[in-house]
Amino acid sequence: MHFTPVITDSILYIGANDTDIDLFESKYPVKNGVSYNSYVILDEKVAVMDTIDARATDTWLTNLLEALSGRDIDYLVISHLEPDHAANIEKLALLYPDMKLVGNAKTFAMLPQFFSLDTKDRQVIVTDGEILSLGKHTLQFFIAPMVHWPEVMVTYEQTEKILFSADAFGKFGSLDHEEDWLEEARRYFINIVGKYGVQVQALLKRVADLDIHMICPLHGPVLTENLGYYIEKYDTWSSYRPEESGVVVAYASIHGNTASAARKMVKLLWEQGEKNVVLYDLARSDVSYVIADAFRFDRMILAGATYEGGLLPCMENLLLQLKSKNYQNRFVGLIENGSWGPVAGKRMKEYLGGMKNVTVAENIVTVKSVMKEENVEQMRELAKILVVA
Ligand code: FEO
């Protein structure tokens, strides 16, 4: 993804790529790294838009000093206190003792949890819609609680019509890695912010009337063209609507027999004319990819082996996380396996029953150890139900 440190004549990018990180938030694999974005607005007053993760402090400070060319900083705008953006607040405040910190009431309520810095005389506490003039540039703040923490706010710069969007519209992947926005933006959004769809919808409505020419997120590329495309994706994801027609087939198999049934299920779906099918081995796939596709498509088949009177942990983990991300409005078919006392189907159905507007196909296919011809027929019936669901 190509990027330039010059965003506009007076706005510079001072963030950093992190290609050494293995797991973002100690959870999400990021094989192409991640970027921590930060920006400087140079005007009569100088504003820094967020700091970055402690993992890249040196690069950020070098970029910052170069961008400032000897100027002081008047304001540090704190969009979000999560350490991937806020780790350097105290360091910057100590380096620039005249710099004011701009945040909302929740920002300053939470800030002492992270830092011992006394900010009482340096706080600019803003409310929703409030304006701060830098000279030619005017910042307008919109409080965006739970996108993705309670204190989050986004900033609209009125003159150049730029939305500094905090975590929203971000993606995994460092900025020196060329890749399409969609896949890793979807995986980022669904897994990290997906739980808070209602709050994202509220933010989208709040900024709907703004004339936005550019979006500067805290991760991933600056978005400059075709902004309606990105906003439409956010609207779809945050309203829990499927993005496209298709089926995720996800299996948890102990010795390979449930896997065989799942692979057969894919072929039966193809046979019924369903071409958009993605297969996941849950024991060998990171669950964040499965969840992203579960939200992308409108239907899902879960094939689970019975294990110790319950579910294999990788299937249980998927279901727990789907619930946590507010998975809803989908149709799901179930295949269970068990050599004695199969209960996987019942357990999977119980989990899905706790999710909003998730319909489970009535007939659960039960495989006893190894798929038989009668199971193939049952799965064919399930495939027929899936393609018209
Ligand atoms: Fe990129 Fe919620 O921090």
Side-chain angles (χ1 to χ4, degrees), residues 224-344:
T224 56
E225 290 173 349
N226 199 13
L227 299 185
Y229 168 81
Y230 305 103
I231 292 167
E232 191 274 328
K233 289 293 177 196
Y234 259 61
D235 183 42
T236 300
W237 296 335
S238 60
S239 57
Y240 302 102
R241 291 196 306 272
E243 198 178 332
E244 57 185 290
S245 174
V247 183
V248 172
V249 178
Y251 66 86
S253 184
I254 302 168
H255 297 293
N257 290 314
T258 309
S260 294
R263 282 194 288 270
K264 183 67 182 177
M265 190 70 216
V266 172
K267 288 183 182 155
L268 293 167
L269 285 163
W270 288 343
E271 184 185 287
Q272 294 302 318
E274 179 66 62
K275 295 291 180 245
N276 216 3
V277 185
V278 178
L279 179 69
Y280 282 106
D281 174 355
L282 293 176
R284 293 169 182 81
S285 309
D286 183 78
V287 72
S288 67
Y289 292 91
V290 189
I291 288 171
D293 271 341
F295 276 74
R296 176 182 171 193
F297 295 127
D298 55 347
R299 288 154 296 155
M300 182 164 67
I301 296 269
L302 297 180
T306 302
Y307 184 74
E308 294 180 339
L311 293 170
L312 203 60
C314 55
M315 177 61 81
E316 191 136 39
N317 182 39
L318 171 65
L319 288 159
L320 284 169
Q321 295 206 41
L322 284 171
K323 167 75 175 158
S324 169
K325 310 300 179 196
N326 268 331
Y327 181 75
Q328 56 188 268
N329 304 332
R330 302 295 195 275
F331 189 91
V332 181
L334 298 177
I335 302 168
E336 66 174 353
N337 196 349
S339 294
W340 71 98
V343 296

Side-chain angles (χ1 to χ4, degrees), residues 24-25 80 82-85 147-149 152 167 188 192 218-219:
F24 184 75
E25 291 186 359
H80 186 12
E82 195 163 10
D84 53 332
H85 310 295
V147 186
H148 123 249
W149 275 20
V152 169
D167 275 336
Y188 173 86
I192 291 184
L218 287 177
H219 301 286

Side-chain angles (χ1 to χ4, degrees), residues 20-172:
D20 296 328
I21 187 169
D22 54 350
L23 296 173
F24 184 75
E25 291 186 359
S26 298
K27 184 174 188 304
Y28 303 103
V30 280
K31 62 180 188 297
N32 298 316
V34 68
S35 74
Y36 313 113
N37 298 345
S38 169
Y39 308 88
V40 172
I41 305 175
L42 300 169
D43 203 322
E44 290 164 29
K45 302 282 188 187
V46 173
V48 172
M49 307 301 286
D50 294 292
T51 75
I52 69 170
D53 196 289
R55 294 172 56 85
T57 300
D58 291 349
T59 303
W60 173 73
L61 274 179
T62 302
N63 293 347
L64 172 64
L65 292 175
E66 196 172 311
L68 289 172
S69 295
R71 293 191 65 180
D72 272 337
I73 304 170
D74 297 284
Y75 300 109
L76 169 64
V77 174
I78 304 168
S79 301
H80 186 12
L81 274 175
E82 195 163 10
D84 53 332
H85 310 295
N88 285 289
I89 289 175
E90 183 162 297
K91 184 182 281 282
L92 196 66
L94 293 172
L95 283 171
Y96 292 88
D98 295 329
M99 180 186 80
K100 302 279 192 207
L101 284 71
V102 182
N104 56 71
K106 283 189 184 143
T107 315
F108 293 110
M110 284 179 82
L111 195 122
Q113 294 173 196
F114 292 95
F115 304 107
S116 53
L117 182 76
D118 181 1
T119 60
K120 267 200 302 294
D121 299 330
R122 303 174 65 175
Q123 297 175 0
V124 177
I125 302 175
V126 296
T127 54
D128 189 60
E130 196 168 332
I131 276 168
L132 175 69
S133 175
L134 304 177
K136 291 191 180 71
H137 295 83
T138 302
L139 305 180
Q140 186 173 20
F141 305 100
F142 294 96
I143 311 296
M146 301 318 296
V147 186
H148 123 249
W149 275 20
E151 86 302 349
V152 169
M153 62 183 194
V154 302
T155 305
Y156 178 63
E157 197 293 299
Q158 295 180 338
T159 305
E160 302 206 67
K161 304 185 189 311
I162 297 174
L163 182 68
F164 293 91
S165 60
D167 275 336
F169 300 101
K171 69 181 277 296
F172 295 132

